[in-house]
């Protein structure tokens, strides 16, 4: 007898409704990419092994940088005034790492999947490029490094 499908889980989740927060604030982004990791492979063969092949064992985890993009809005300078000062212009011995929380939301605006980036800090901030012949939205980019990733289903 076939298992019946839960109608609320019958379709893949849309990826366009999400929010990003860290520290005390939340920001809207148009794109978040790089939510991945890989485990390095350690190859080993003992000198007295009876077989002529290496064994493969899991090694250290390696986390990709996470890139976030957002549109530039008139009067919206929290990106620079608050967050940039927090991470780049801090005093000596100030805590500059934080946990970044990325939540995929459903149609009721409640989280269904949460990605947590641990000990994260922005390593690169890129302002928009300017082109006189372009018909595009001004986008700024922030790249985060981190030391751990967890994925939690709500």
């Amino acid at each position: 007898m076939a298992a019946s499908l839960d109608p609320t889980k019958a379709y893949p989740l849309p990826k366009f409704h999400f929010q990003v927060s860290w520290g005390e604030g939340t920001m809207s982004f148009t794109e978040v990419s790089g939510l991945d990791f890989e485990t390095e492979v350690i190859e080993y063969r003992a000198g007295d092994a009876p077989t002529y092949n290496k064994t493969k064992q899991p090694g250290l985890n390696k986390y990709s940088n996470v890139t976030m993009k957002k549109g530039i809005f008139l009067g919206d300078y929290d990106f620079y005034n608050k967050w940039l000062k927090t991470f780049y212009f801090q005093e000596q011995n100030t805590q500059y790492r934080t946990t970044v929380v990325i939540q995929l939301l459903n149609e009721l605006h409640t989280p269904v999947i949460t990605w947590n980036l641990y000990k994260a800090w922005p390593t690169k901030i890129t302002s928009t490029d300017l082109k006189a012949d372009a018909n595009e939205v001004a986008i700024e980019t922030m790249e985060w490094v981190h030391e751990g990733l967890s994925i939690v289903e709500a």
Side-chain angles (χ1 to χ4, degrees):
M1 183 175 190
S4 62
L5 284 176
D6 181 355
T8 62
K9 297 181 180 179
Y11 297 99
L13 295 168
K15 64 180 187 175
F16 58 81
H17 190 39
F18 60 93
Q19 67 182 14
V20 178
S21 60
W22 65 87
E24 300 174 1
T26 300
M27 269 188 146
S28 297
F29 288 90
T30 58
E31 182 180 337
V32 175
S33 60
L35 294 171
D36 56 342
F37 69 94
E38 67 178 275
T39 302
E40 294 177 348
V41 177
I42 299 172
E43 294 185 355
Y44 176 76
R45 180 181 182 276
D48 62 349
T51 58
Y52 294 106
N53 63 299
K54 298 176 184 175
T55 60
K56 296 184 180 185
Q57 303 171 29
L60 298 174
N61 289 333
K62 185 168 48 171
Y63 301 100
S64 298
N65 291 355
V66 175
T67 302
M68 300 178 190
K69 297 181 179 182
K70 69 180 275 315
I72 299 175
F73 292 89
L74 185 62
D76 179 19
Y77 303 111
D78 280 348
F79 186 75
Y80 292 102
N81 292 337
K82 188 172 184 180
W83 306 115
L84 186 61
K85 287 178 185 176
T86 301
F87 291 104
Y88 286 106
F89 304 115
Q90 73 274 359
E91 297 290 326
Q92 287 284 337
N93 301 322
T94 302
Q95 181 65 28
Y96 63 93
R97 295 173 187 259
T98 189
T99 298
V100 176
V101 179
I102 303 160
Q103 296 177 314
L104 183 62
L105 307 173
N106 63 14
E107 57 276 351
L108 301 174
H109 311 292
T110 57
V112 291
I113 299 176
T114 300
W115 291 265
N116 294 306
L117 309 178
Y118 299 106
K119 296 183 181 178
W121 53 276
T123 182
K124 183 178 181 181
I125 295 177
T126 306
S127 193
T128 189
D129 57 335
L130 303 171
K131 292 171 34 179
D133 63 345
N135 188 19
E136 302 167 353
V137 172
I139 300 289
E140 54 193 2
T141 305
M142 180 189 297
E143 188 173 328
W144 290 81
V145 295
H146 61 96
E147 295 180 9
L149 170 70
S150 70
I151 303 170
V152 181
E153 183 180 356

